[in-house]
């Protein structure tokens, strides 16, 4: 995980996993994923790349992959992954139980405590409402 591309790929997969947690990817979620990815990389992300990431997530257990990567990620990167996923979770203005569980499962895979996750989400929620 030394280069930005792979970090952004992990963030992309986390966002796609979150968007798909409630069973479908809607256009607002796809648009937000593209926007966050562009913020992260400075590159535009075609919709078919999101579909490809969704297929990859379905083929491999994303959380297992995340857990395997966890030791090589610093806390800032882990926070970025969770923040990006949370922003996607908020895209449709409702938080489904499956989405909340997905976020907590991602945090667990990244070895992030519930306390840290709660503080991170509070901070993010406050910054999004400014």
């Amino acid at each position: 995980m030394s280069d930005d591309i792979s970090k952004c790929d992990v963030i992309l997969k986390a966002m796609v996993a979150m968007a798909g947690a409630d069973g479908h990817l809607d256009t607002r979620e796809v648009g937000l994923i593209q926007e966050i990815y562009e913020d992260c990389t400075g590159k535009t992300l075609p919709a078919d790349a999101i579909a490809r990431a969704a297929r990859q997530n379905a083929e491999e257990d994303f959380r297992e992959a995340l857990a395997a990567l966890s030791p090589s990620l610093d806390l800032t990167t882990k926070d970025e992954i969770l923040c990006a996923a949370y922003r996607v979770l908020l895209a449709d203005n409702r938080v489904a139980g499956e989405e909340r569980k997905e976020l907590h499962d991602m945090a667990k895979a990244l070895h992030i405590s519930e306390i840290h996750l709660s503080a991170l989400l509070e901070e993010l929620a406050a910054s999004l409402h400014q």
Side-chain angles (χ1 to χ4, degrees):
M1 283 291 298
S2 56
D3 62 346
D4 268 355
I5 302 300
S6 51
K7 177 175 107 172
C8 291
D9 285 344
V10 174
I11 290 173
L12 170 63
K13 285 186 165 192
M15 290 188 298
V16 170
M18 182 54 68
D22 62 0
H24 66 283
L25 263 160
D26 70 33
T27 52
R28 287 195 14 231
E29 289 169 329
V30 169
L32 185 62
I33 289 170
Q34 289 172 312
E35 187 183 308
I36 295 169
Y37 187 85
E38 196 168 333
D39 288 349
C40 176
T41 62
K43 298 183 186 112
T44 53
L45 181 70
D48 65 329
I50 295 172
R52 200 165 41 251
R55 278 195 304 279
Q56 287 171 347
N57 280 358
E59 289 164 11
E60 61 176 25
D61 185 331
F62 173 66
R63 271 183 251 114
E64 274 181 28
L66 208 52
L69 277 175
S70 184
S72 67
L73 302 174
D74 61 23
L75 186 59
T76 305
T77 301
K78 292 177 181 184
D79 286 354
E80 284 178 46
I81 292 166
L82 293 170
C83 284
Y86 186 63
R87 283 176 63 189
V88 171
L89 180 149
L90 296 175
D92 56 9
N93 293 319
R94 60 175 188 79
V95 179
E98 305 87 21
E99 292 172 324
R100 189 178 303 274
K101 182 182 181 329
E102 181 70 37
L103 188 66
H104 286 269
D105 288 348
M106 278 185 203
K108 200 179 295 175
L110 289 167
H111 305 287
I112 296 292
S113 70
E114 287 291 323
I115 293 168
H116 182 85
L117 179 63
S118 295
L120 183 68
L121 299 183
E122 267 178 46
E123 210 175 283
L124 182 63
S127 73
L128 291 175
H129 290 293
Q130 287 176 353

